[in-house]
């Protein structure tokens, strides 16, 4: 599906739910896509992208920025503390902040480099053992800890379990964000972004529906 077709679906889903389409940021998830395909989407005018792995992002986005100018990059994959500095130098937002150790590393490095990307706290809404994210019950405390360190927490992020209806997970994230007084909701992917928009998503992360399936 093309970028413009996805944008039309976003607009339709927003309007159907009484929302302004401009309040929804489309993050084009370019992980594991061939450079030529990413360049096509850049030529179509997309300027906000998401990458899972810092290493992969560092290998391609500096060059794309030289060619296309200012681009907004969001790191959406699990983050190890030894990759935090590189992530913070490369990205405008990080969606995978999920533990106190990471929050403290980000705060320390922000002090050193003098800036910090916008942060989303990742919540493991399904409490899946293999999945990243803070448990729902620990979310309010982690948000508070990040705020006490002066970090720019913009919202919450989740990836619902693959084999479940995503709607209750999106609802849980929305309610937790409200409890924390956060307005950002990073939720919804290729298969469920319209549901996420209906439930208040402000950032949707769409990969294969834009670029095609990954190698
Ligand atoms: C890969 C990925 C996406 C995009 O997934 P698609 O199903 O290709 O849209 C979104 N969010 C995260 C965290 C991802 O890892």
């Amino acid at each position: 599906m093309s970028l413009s077709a996805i944008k039309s679906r976003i607009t339709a889903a927003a309007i159907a739910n009484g929302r302004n389409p401009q309040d929804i940021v489309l993050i084009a998830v370019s992980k594991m896509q061939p450079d030529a395909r990413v360049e096509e989407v850049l030529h179509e005018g997309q300027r906000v992208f998401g990458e899972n792995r810092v290493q992969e992002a560092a290998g391609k986005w500096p060059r794309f920025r030289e060619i296309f100018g200012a681009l907004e990059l969001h790191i959406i994959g699990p983050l190890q503390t030894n990759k935090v500095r590189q992530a913070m130098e490369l990205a405008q937002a990080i969606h995978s902040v999920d533990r106190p150790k990471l929050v403290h590393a980000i705060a320390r490095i922000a002090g050193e480099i003098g800036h910090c990307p916008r942060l989303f706290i990742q919540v493991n809404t399904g409490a899946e053992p293999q999945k990243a994210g803070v448990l729902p019950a620990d979310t309010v405390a982690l948000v508070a800890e990040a705020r006490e360190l002066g970090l720019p927490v913009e919202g919450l992020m989740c990836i619902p379990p693959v084999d479940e209806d995503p709607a209750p997970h999106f609802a849980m994230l929305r309610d937790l964000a409200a409890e924390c007084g956060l307005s950002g909701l990073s939720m919804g992917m290729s298969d469920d972004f319209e549901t996420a928009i209906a439930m208040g998503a402000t950032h949707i992360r769409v990969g294969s529906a834009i670029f095609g399936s990954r190698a």
Side-chain angles (χ1 to χ4, degrees):
M1 195 170 278
S2 69
L3 179 66
S4 62
I6 295 294
K7 285 187 184 166
S8 302
R9 285 172 57 187
I10 294 168
T11 301
I15 290 169
N17 289 281
R19 301 188 57 197
N20 183 345
Q22 299 194 349
D23 293 341
I24 299 152
V25 177
L26 170 61
I27 302 170
V29 178
S30 48
K31 66 179 181 201
M32 292 164 69
Q33 296 289 348
D35 283 1
R37 188 68 197 101
V38 180
E39 281 175 31
E40 282 174 12
V41 173
L42 280 158
H43 279 295
E44 288 178 84
Q46 179 67 21
R47 288 295 178 269
V48 183
F49 290 85
E51 287 282 347
N52 258 51
R53 294 178 58 246
V54 177
Q55 207 71 11
E56 183 182 347
K60 57 201 213 199
W61 288 97
R63 189 177 68 80
F64 287 144
R65 282 179 168 139
E66 272 178 30
I67 302 170
F68 292 92
L71 301 170
E72 193 173 301
L73 185 64
H74 294 239
I75 294 292
I76 61 175
L79 191 56
Q80 295 167 286
T81 35
N82 63 359
K83 293 279 163 52
V84 169
R85 182 182 301 270
Q86 199 177 13
M88 291 174 69
E89 285 168 345
L90 200 59
Q92 281 65 50
I94 298 174
H95 292 235
S96 42
V97 181
D98 66 354
R99 55 197 189 276
K101 193 179 171 200
L102 203 48
V103 161
H104 284 271
I106 290 170
R108 179 174 47 77
I109 295 165
E112 289 169 20
I113 66 178
H115 66 90
C116 187
R118 288 154 12 228
L119 304 177
F120 290 78
I121 305 292
Q122 182 174 352
V123 183
N124 187 355
T125 56
E128 296 172 276
Q130 83 287 3
K131 195 169 271 178
V134 64
L135 289 172
D138 299 331
T139 302
V140 174
L142 185 59
V143 169
E145 193 165 358
R147 281 178 165 152
E148 275 162 29
L149 293 165
L151 296 179
V153 183
E154 177 159 329
L156 303 181
M157 177 273 224
C158 77
I159 309 169
V162 282
D163 47 2
E164 283 183 34
D165 176 6
H169 296 274
F170 295 155
M172 184 194 292
L173 199 72
R174 178 194 60 199
D175 294 347
L176 276 170
E179 199 179 329
C180 297
L182 290 169
S183 57
L185 281 174
S186 168
M187 59 190 199
M189 314 191 347
S190 290
D191 290 336
D192 56 18
F193 68 85
E194 281 140 326
T195 305
I197 289 169
M199 311 209 62
T202 60
H203 294 70
I204 59 172
R205 312 177 309 269
V206 180
S208 46
I210 295 174
F211 293 99
S213 58
R214 287 176 284 273

